Amino acid sequence: MDPWVWWLIAAVGLGIPLVVTAMPEFGMLAVGAVAGAVTAGIGGGTVLQFIVFAAVSVALIAVVRPLANRHRGQSPQLASGVDALRGRSATVLERVDGGAGGRIKLAGEIWSARALDGDQVYEPGQQVDVVEIEGATAVVI
């Protein structure tokens, strides 16, 4: 059997743990094995095939892995649910204070609300900003 076939078998063999364990490093090693197969197919010697395999695998791990780790640590850009309501403006419908609270119109819906500062009072028609959602109550400033 030709050496390039063995490299392709190795690439498939490295692709199986990639799928089973979801470790991307196996995929990078599989790409290195394909590069070794290409080197064997164009007539490169055994030593050159292993050098190409190692160089491509190490280069992919050195470049792709830090990029993937950086993206994995980022939070999603799209907020949903009550997270999407934080920072939005609302209109006061009923007097809002720090005690009994009141009502606001937020994102087309009527919410109960209370002032973040207990001494602050907002009258109907005023614009307020939502700081937090606690249960079914919006905390506003």
Side-chain angles (χ1 to χ4, degrees):
M1 205 177 315
D2 291 332
W4 64 270
V5 175
W6 287 109
W7 281 109
L8 291 180
I9 291 171
V12 170
L14 289 166
I16 292 171
L18 167 67
V19 173
V20 173
T21 64
M23 290 181 61
E25 290 83 2
F26 283 111
M28 296 172 211
L29 291 172
V31 172
V34 170
V38 169
T39 304
I42 60 173
T46 304
V47 173
L48 182 60
Q49 293 170 28
F50 278 100
I51 290 172
V52 168
F53 165 73
V56 169
S57 298
V58 169
L60 283 173
I61 290 172
V63 171
V64 175
R65 192 164 183 240
L67 292 173
N69 285 337
R70 189 174 327 134
H71 285 286
R72 187 179 347 171
Q74 292 178 346
S75 62
Q77 300 293 331
L78 179 63
S80 62
V82 294
D83 292 332
L85 298 176
R86 288 190 194 113
R88 301 229 5 216
S89 292
T91 304
V92 177
L93 299 177
E94 293 177 11
R95 181 181 167 143
V96 174
D97 57 26
R103 301 253 180 232
I104 61 171
K105 187 165 190 171
L106 172 63
E109 298 177 346
I110 297 175
W111 283 73
S112 61
R114 70 172 178 80
L116 178 65
D117 181 8
D119 299 331
Q120 187 69 38
V121 176
Y122 301 102
E123 297 298 331
Q126 272 188 287
Q127 292 291 315
V128 292
D129 292 325
V130 176
V131 177
E132 186 68 48
I133 302 290
E134 292 178 352
T137 303
V139 180
V140 298
I141 56 170

